[in-house]
Amino acid sequence: MPIGGGAPVAVQTMTDTDTRDAAATLAQIRRAAEAGAEIVRVAVPDARAVAALKEIIPDSPVPLVADIHFDWRLAVKAAEAGAAGLRINPGNIGGPEKTRAVAEAAGRQGAVIRVGVNSGSLEKEVLARHGGQVTAEALAESALNQTRLIEETGFTALKVSLKGSDVLSTVAAVRLWSRLSDVPQHIGVTEAGDALEGAVKSAVGLGLLLAEGLGDTLRVSLTAPPEEEVRAAWAILRALGLRARGVEVISCPTCGRTEGPVAKLAEEARKRLADLTAPLKVAVMGCVVNGPGEARHAEAAVALGRGHGQVYISGRRVAAKVPYEKLIDLLEAEVRRGAWGIGARHDD
Amino acid sequence: MPIGGGAPVAVQTMTDTDTRDAAATLAQIRRAAEAGAEIVRVAVPDARAVAALKEIIPDSPVPLVADIHFDWRLAVKAAEAGAAGLRINPGNIGGPEKTRAVAEAAGRQGAVIRVGVNSGSLEKEVLARHGGQVTAEALAESALNQTRLIEETGFTALKVSLKGSDVLSTVAAVRLWSRLSDVPQHIGVTEAGDALEGAVKSAVGLGLLLAEGLGDTLRVSLTAPPEEEVRAAWAILRALGLRARGVEVISCPTCGRTEGPVAKLAEEARKRLADLTAPLKVAVMGCVVNGPGEARHAEAAVALGRGHGQVYISGRRVAAKVPYEKLIDLLEAEVRRGAWGIGARHDD
């Protein structure tokens, strides 16, 4: 999984299972990977979690990053257990000697290290030098100290993350880091809120940064399952035209003109086609104002009339007067047939 | 409701009830207004909807915009019914004479007009001049033609919206318009998708625009109830530091270190405090890594330990070892007491 240096921005998430429950954690990692997670982070709070990690790693479909706080020895053990990455926090790893020991273990095991600086856990001495304020400069100073310390040991497989206490402070810190260092950045807006508000905050902050070319890996942090984080992350990348994956369902905001169950059909289409990984735009439109026009922009679409709907493939109407309850069946069948060459087959 | 000319960006939404059902529509308008909608748009597809509008308008807590397609006479009647605004679509209003008649009616009645250009319903002749492609230039040409036509009648209470078929084309069109005209802009990303993906797309697109100072009113279009659109809109404005309203609940992304039911408690806090309109940050944190640190940045917070939690007000711990089931009661009581002077009361 190449990170930085012009590689595509990688999508991360983090498990919220108890890592010590290897089976549950592995199941969640698999769901996240199916949804498009390319790197998954797991919390490693104690020796039992390290033991579980040894069971999880061989069966994980994606590289795993062990998230370590407080105890540097857990980082060493996680590297020895085969973690692809270690995430350590300069604010609580325990000082320069411990950081060096972690870097040496990571070097021996071929693991990468992320130095993850958070506004909530900045070192007291760094905070003191910045008048007690968590500024972009304070966050960057913490990361610079730590990355220099690690680089002095000869270890270079590094990334950093700088997270402020809100969107704008995080944006400012990421921008500052990009001027100070070439070390790749993992970007994210931390402590984000529920699925809707959290996704909005992440999309605003990460959207601004990615549009400027900043960020090498990203996570959308939500108080919601990892799959939802991954879905939101891909939606951000797709909105900016950076990367696309799987089916994007476009549905109209329902209004007083809506003729049918748009939200229900859109959700059904999304679930039925969730296993496809090739980028594909599917539209579910509720009326005749924008419906047919938008249907033509999508690879596959349904536009609803009263009691029935039309199905479009590659801008051509392939069925009309289809009852609501059969629309998504037909759409799915057409899309799956089209997976061997959407567009082309209509020129037969 | 001042729009443009440096006024704060106004939050809009649109009802999805049948406008002809005046009671249901009014109830939805009230819910949207309570959530923070400052302007509400309603679809007016026929004469019965105009009749309902006459019942709705006197009782609406916010100005209403009548959304008109195909039939210019409905726009005239909506203005006569007292709509604060008319939204017309150059692609289907029926030509210059009809547009002038609408402008004259709006002028007589003191209504504003939004010229709403959508990629899905661009005039055929405009599309033809742009090689059949819906470009930013094509969208802007449609809006320019229409606004000039209206301004020639002496009518100036205008705004426009230009909506592309995806986020980047909408962003490009809004940027282009800001260089071509001083007419204020309503911004939104149309046909957006379900709540999560739709909110992400809107947040990316509107976030980029608002960060550049573009946009005078906005709507987050979701296939979800208007209140959710409003919540997402405020979250975007708040993330950018432009405007704030009501309680913002920050909760940690749960992980393998989480000690308690973060998502449940966060949702409970959000619902219990939903009636407050003054900006207030409330944190619900699930562990001891970032919890106490973040708790200090919020006006009110709970940080969870095993089986119980702590409550913080203005960065001070006011209660410890509170059982989970009593945490939000205590938080709510403290916040409501604090509403008469959070912070100050701790200096007593």
Side-chain angles (χ1 to χ4, degrees), chain B residues 4-172:
Chain B
V9 182
V11 171
Q12 295 204 22
T13 187
M14 186 168 185
T15 53
D16 63 3
T17 49
D18 184 334
T19 308
R20 293 164 292 196
D21 184 343
T25 302
L26 192 56
Q28 200 180 55
I29 291 167
R30 288 205 171 107
R31 285 195 298 277
E34 275 161 25
E38 298 169 310
I39 300 171
V40 174
R41 184 155 54 112
V42 295
V44 178
D46 59 24
R48 283 178 55 211
V50 175
L53 207 56
K54 284 183 197 161
E55 292 179 53
I56 296 166
I57 287 169
D59 290 335
S60 172
V62 292
L64 299 184
V65 174
D67 194 63
I68 311 289
H69 291 273
F70 304 117
D71 187 348
W72 65 281
R73 287 162 302 195
L74 290 172
V76 171
K77 285 178 187 157
E80 290 167 356
L86 306 174
R87 183 269 165 127
I88 58 173
N89 181 337
N92 61 31
I93 196 65
E97 284 312 310
K98 323 293 194 208
T99 298
R100 279 191 207 103
V102 172
E104 282 156 15
R108 281 194 303 275
Q109 303 295 332
V112 306
I113 293 178
R114 159 148 77 99
V115 171
V117 178
N118 272 29
S119 65
S121 54
L122 209 54
E123 301 100 302
K124 286 200 181 70
E125 56 276 21
V126 172
L127 207 49
R129 272 196 294 279
H130 293 268
Q133 299 299 308
V134 181
T135 58
E137 289 73 19
L139 293 167
E141 181 182 324
S142 172
L144 266 183
N145 290 346
Q146 196 80 349
T147 54
R148 279 180 188 151
L149 193 65
I150 293 171
E151 285 170 338
E152 281 166 17
T153 70
F155 186 92
T156 57
L158 271 172
K159 41 188 180 172
V160 302
S161 61
L162 291 86
K163 296 184 180 175
S165 62
D166 59 23
V167 171
L168 291 181
S169 66
T170 298
V171 166

Side-chain angles (χ1 to χ4, degrees), chain A residues 16-17 67 69 118-119 191-192 194 197 201 223 231 238 248 250-252 254 256-257 285 290 294, chain B residues 16-17 67 69 118-119 191-192 194 197 201 223 231 238 248 250-252 254 256-257 285 290 294:
Chain A
D16 64 3
T17 49
D67 194 64
H69 291 272
N118 273 28
S119 65
E191 282 94 39
D194 72 3
E197 295 194 29
K201 278 195 220 181
T223 308
R231 214 154 67 81
R238 189 162 47 204
E248 172 187 23
I250 304 168
S251 52
C252 65
T254 51
R257 286 186 304 271
M285 309 299 295
N290 295 314
E294 283 295 324
Chain B
D16 63 3
T17 49
D67 194 63
H69 291 273
N118 272 29
S119 65
E191 283 92 42
D194 74 358
E197 293 194 29
K201 278 196 217 181
T223 307
R231 212 152 72 78
R238 189 163 47 204
E248 172 186 23
I250 304 166
S251 52
C252 65
T254 51
R257 285 186 305 271
M285 309 301 295
N290 295 313
E294 283 296 324

